[in-house]
Amino acid sequence: MDKIFYFISTTIKRIKINLYLNIITVVTIAVALLILNIFFLIYINVHSVLGEWQGKINIIAYVKNGISADEIRQVSDELRAISGVKGIKYYSQQDAFNEFKKELKGQSAILKGVSPDILPAYFVISLSDKAIAENGIDSVASSIKRLMGISDVQYGKELASKLSGVIILMKMLSIGIGGFIVFSILIIISNTIRISIFSKKDEIGILKLVGATNLFIEMPFILEGIVQITFGTGLSILLLYAIYEFFIYKLEGSMGVFFTNVSVIFLSREAIIVIFIGSILLGIAGSIITAGKFIRNAN
C-alpha cells in the first residue's frame, strides 16, 4: 500500500513540476487522436451507407423459356453452390407479371388482356459481404451465366465495381492512417518521458544507490504516460463530439428537409470504451519501452 501511495504521489508531483510539458503532450496526443477518430467516425458512417447499398446489389438471372420444374430446382441447387451467393429467390412468370403490375401502380390497366408468358421467370440472387468487398461480383455473375438453365444475367456492374473499390480504399486508409497515428503517439510519449527522466537523473541515481529496483523507479514514469494518454484520449473524444454537433447543426441548416433522409451517427459507447482501452495500452507500452530503456542505461 505504501508503494502504491508513493507511486501515485510521485507521479502527481512530477506532473506538477513539468506541468507545461505535460499539457503540451496531452494536447498533442489529443490532436493526433482527434485526426484518427475523425477518420474513424467518417469510416463508420461511410461503412453504414455502403452496408445499405450492399443490400441492394443483387444479380438477376433470367431463366430460359420452356424448362421444367425439375430443371428449375436443379438450377436453384447449382446457384446455391456458387461461392459468393448468399441467398436466392425464384420468381415464376406469373410472379414476374405481378411484380411488374405493382411497379406500374395506377397504370396497371394497360396490361389488361396481356398474358404473363411475355415475361421470363428469373432468380434474384443476393451476394455475400465478402464477394462484394473483394470485388468478386463479376466472377459470381460469370459463374451464374454459365449455368444451363440461365439465359441472361443483369446487375449494377458499375455501381458494384465502385462500391467494392470504395470499401477496399477505406480499409487501406484506415490501416495506413491508424498505423501512422499510433507510431506518432508512441514517439510523443517516449520523448516526454525521456525529458522527464533526464530531469530526474540525479534522483534516479540516488534511488539506484539505495537499492531500488528498475521497476520501482520506472513505475511513476509509466503512470505519467498513462495519465497523459488518458487525458489526451478524453480531450480528443470531447473535441470530436463538438465537431460532430457542429457538423450536424450545419447539415440541418443547409439541407433542411432533406436532412431527414441522412443518418450521421456518432461513436457508440462500446467504440469509445475500446478507444480508451486501446489508448491506455498504447500509453503503457510506450512508457514501459522508453522508461525501461533509459532508466536501465542511467548511471
Side-chain angles (χ1 to χ4, degrees):
M1 196 67 184
D2 291 338
K3 285 184 179 181
I4 295 173
F5 178 76
Y6 168 79
F7 293 147
I8 294 173
S9 60
T10 302
T11 302
I12 294 172
K13 192 183 299 181
R14 288 176 182 172
I15 290 174
K16 286 181 178 179
I17 292 171
N18 297 313
L19 185 60
Y20 179 75
L21 176 62
N22 278 282
I23 290 174
I24 294 297
T25 302
V26 168
V27 171
T28 306
I29 290 172
V31 171
L33 283 173
L34 178 63
I35 295 170
L36 179 61
N37 290 335
I38 286 175
F39 179 80
F40 184 48
L41 188 60
I42 293 172
Y43 175 81
I44 288 174
N45 282 277
V46 170
H47 195 270
S48 176
V49 173
L50 293 180
E52 293 180 8
W53 289 358
Q54 282 181 349
K56 297 176 182 177
I57 294 181
N58 293 319
I59 295 176
I60 308 297
Y62 294 101
V63 177
K64 291 180 180 178
N65 290 328
I67 67 173
S68 65
D70 289 338
E71 288 173 319
I72 289 173
R73 280 192 291 270
Q74 183 180 346
V75 171
S76 298
D77 293 338
E78 290 173 346
L79 285 171
R80 290 191 179 92
I82 294 174
S83 176
V85 171
K86 184 179 180 181
I88 65 170
K89 186 174 182 180
Y90 174 69
Y91 288 82
S92 65
Q93 289 179 303
Q94 184 63 54
D95 294 331
F97 187 73
N98 293 338
E99 290 294 317
F100 187 46
K101 285 175 68 176
K102 286 180 185 177
E103 290 179 7
L104 289 174
K105 296 181 180 178
Q107 299 177 342
S108 59
I110 63 174
L111 296 176
K112 189 175 181 181
V114 177
S115 170
D117 295 340
I118 65 166
L119 297 175
Y122 61 89
F123 288 95
V124 176
I125 299 134
S126 59
L127 305 172
S128 66
D129 294 341
K130 184 179 180 182
I132 297 173
E134 296 181 356
N135 206 15
I137 303 172
D138 287 344
S139 175
V140 175
S142 297
S143 298
I144 293 171
K145 198 169 184 177
R146 286 195 293 267
L147 298 181
M148 292 295 294
I150 301 299
S151 62
D152 194 16
V153 170
Q154 290 185 0
Y155 64 103
K157 184 174 182 179
E158 186 176 347
L159 174 62
S161 179
K162 289 181 178 179
L163 179 58
S164 299
V166 170
I167 293 173
I168 293 169
L169 178 63
M170 291 294 292
K171 287 182 178 179
M172 291 179 67
L173 282 174
S174 62
I175 294 171
I177 293 177
F180 177 76
I181 295 295
V182 167
F183 179 75
S184 300
I185 291 173
L186 283 172
I187 295 297
I188 293 166
I189 294 173
S190 297
N191 287 337
T192 306
I193 291 176
R194 184 170 59 180
I195 292 169
S196 183
I197 289 171
F198 285 155
S199 68
K200 298 292 179 183
K201 196 170 183 180
D202 294 338
E203 182 183 328
I204 292 171
I206 293 171
L207 287 170
K208 282 195 170 187
L209 286 173
V210 297
T213 62
N214 287 328
L215 181 61
F216 183 87
I217 301 170
E218 292 168 16
M219 190 56 67
F221 294 103
I222 294 172
L223 292 176
E224 186 177 348
I226 294 172
V227 170
Q228 291 166 353
I229 195 74
T230 302
F231 276 91
T233 304
L235 181 58
S236 73
I237 296 295
L238 290 175
L239 290 172
L240 181 67
Y241 186 73
I243 292 171
Y244 168 80
E245 287 292 330
F246 178 76
F247 175 77
I248 294 295
Y249 173 77
K250 286 291 185 182
L251 199 62
E252 286 178 336
S254 61
M255 296 186 67
V257 68
F258 297 104
F259 182 73
T260 55
N261 296 322
V262 179
S263 178
V264 182
I265 59 175
F266 190 67
L267 300 178
S268 65
R269 185 181 301 176
E270 292 77 13
I272 293 173
I273 291 172
V274 169
I275 289 171
F276 265 101
I277 293 174
S279 298
I280 290 170
L281 291 175
L282 181 63
I284 291 172
S287 302
I288 290 174
I289 293 169
T290 306
K293 177 182 176 182
F294 287 95
I295 287 175
R296 283 175 173 79
N297 294 331
N299 295 320

